[in-house]
Amino acid sequence: MSAESKTVLITGASSGIGEATARRLAGLGHRVLLGARRAGRLAALAEELRAAGGSVAHRELDVTSLDSVRAFAAAGVEEYGRIDVLINNAGVMPLSPLEDLRIAEWEQMIDVNLRGVLYGIAAVLPRMRRQAAGHIVNVSSVSGHRVDPTAAVYSATKFAVAAVSEGLRQESRDIRVTVVSPGFTQSELTDRGGSPEAQGAARAAAEQLAIPASAIADAIAFAIDQPAHVDVNELIVRPTAQG
């Protein structure tokens, strides 16, 4: 069990890093509220974790809607009485060369990867200020530190997440801010959208290199479980073999 049980909200919790983090934190004894668009998968995961003894609730969530994100945060307060941690994990990665002009996918990445993070911050920050305590964990990417062909817009959103996170950290004296940047990780990010060539190359690389999502969940759990006066600002976790 965790030394201190916390109320944790996780976006994008129906698969990949979000699901793995839900499993890890529920297993440590934290109270967890899961959010994602795929309500069926979310409900099944929550039921499984509750059957294993976890304190887990779930709500359908669209991070591109401020009303939906605010309702998600309100559900956390209604269910558990407070919000200690928000994990902004929801993300999309439809890779393609800029010359393909997949503008709708550019906008989707901006809406989910950046606007969704900002909406999450907006939904919990006032309450955390009133509590004089809280922790916001933003899941970025190694692509928030380097730019590769076909990932220009995706990288732009992840660089922006780092900038927003650092700004919030500098403005905060009692709220912790952590950016977790995964490298190739087993997930469904390459399953939707993008150019077939770019997504195929990313899938092939992931099949050779990817670490399990549980490795990222462990990093998030490490940051959350530090004493209140210790703020782990940034963690980059990638396969040893990744260039």
Side-chain angles (χ1 to χ4, degrees), residues 77-233:
V77 175
E78 180 181 355
E79 187 78 28
Y80 297 119
R82 62 184 287 120
I83 300 170
D84 297 304
V85 184
L86 169 67
I87 301 174
N88 275 316
N89 166 71
V92 293
M93 190 185 72
L95 301 175
S96 65
L98 287 170
E99 67 182 2
D100 283 4
L101 300 182
R102 291 176 176 261
I103 294 170
E105 291 181 345
W106 300 351
E107 292 171 342
Q108 181 192 28
M109 283 186 278
I110 292 167
D111 286 344
V112 175
N113 299 354
L114 178 55
R115 201 187 307 271
V117 167
L118 289 167
Y119 284 171
I121 292 170
V124 303
L125 189 57
R127 174 164 290 276
M128 288 183 175
R129 291 287 189 216
R130 290 194 297 273
Q131 293 172 178
H135 191 173
I136 294 175
V137 179
N138 294 327
V139 177
S140 179
S141 170
V142 165
S143 293
H145 298 265
R146 56 183 281 179
V147 183
D148 294 307
T150 75
V153 178
Y154 179 70
S155 288
T157 63
K158 294 303 188 177
F159 271 83
V161 166
V164 169
S165 302
E166 176 61 10
L168 178 60
R169 186 195 69 78
Q170 297 220 23
E171 293 173 9
S172 304
R173 291 298 175 268
D174 47 20
I175 296 172
R176 303 192 296 180
V177 182
T178 300
V179 180
V180 178
S181 297
F184 281 115
T185 304
Q186 293 169 3
S187 74
E188 298 179 0
L189 276 180
T190 58
D191 291 352
R192 292 181 292 276
S195 76
E197 297 81 5
Q199 296 292 74
R203 278 193 296 273
E207 286 170 5
Q208 286 192 322
L209 298 172
I211 55 178
S214 60
I216 311 304
D218 289 345
I220 292 171
F222 167 79
I224 289 173
D225 284 343
Q226 296 305 299
H229 65 282
V230 176
D231 188 2
V232 178
N233 300 143

